[in-house]
Amino acid sequence: MPITTLQPSKDGVFLAVGDANGDISLYITFSLQRTRRIHAHANVVTALSFLPPALRPGTDFECACASASIDQKIQLVTLQQRRKVSFWFVLTCTVALIYIIFSIMAMVSV
């Protein structure tokens, strides 16, 4: 469906997209990976706005976006916190995997 409105978050991390079907999609801006899609309205989405952290309903949401439509409704679309993996954990696992691979290769070639 045709896009009717776009709104980036203030920090630039997320992009909200509203369309003529009443669907709202949330994207991660740098990769354009869609993280959430919801059918929020019966008609065209006319406005989108990200809520600042102080106004979000709870602390377990990474973002919250309010939407308005010509169906005279306002909806709130939220995105749960994404799980984050520590850099040091990934680095430790990578080093351990390389060590195991080289150990197996050394034992096989002997």
Side-chain angles (χ1 to χ4, degrees):
M1 254 349 224
I3 294 173
T4 58
T5 184
L6 293 168
Q7 180 67 44
S9 62
K10 189 171 185 170
D11 59 6
V13 175
F14 295 102
L15 176 69
V17 177
D19 68 22
N21 266 350
D23 294 336
I24 298 168
S25 299
L26 295 176
Y27 293 88
I28 298 172
T29 305
F30 76 92
S31 66
L32 290 180
Q33 175 189 0
R34 185 169 57 199
T35 59
R36 178 110 197 254
R37 183 179 183 147
I38 184 169
H39 184 72
H41 297 282
N43 282 316
V44 176
V45 178
T46 56
L48 295 166
S49 180
F50 282 93
L51 278 72
L55 297 178
R56 291 182 194 152
T59 58
D60 58 337
F61 296 110
E62 191 163 1
C63 76
C65 181
S67 65
S69 173
I70 60 174
D71 64 5
Q72 298 180 347
K73 292 183 182 175
I74 296 174
Q75 298 284 354
L76 185 65
V77 179
T78 57
L79 182 64
Q80 297 285 333
Q81 288 281 354
R82 294 174 289 164
R83 292 190 330 200
K84 297 178 182 174
V85 179
S86 165
F87 168 77
W88 295 109
F89 176 75
V90 172
L91 182 64
T92 303
C93 289
T94 303
V95 169
L97 182 63
I98 291 170
Y99 176 78
I100 291 169
I101 290 171
F102 278 108
S103 296
I104 291 172
M105 289 174 58
M107 289 179 0
V108 170
S109 65
V110 170

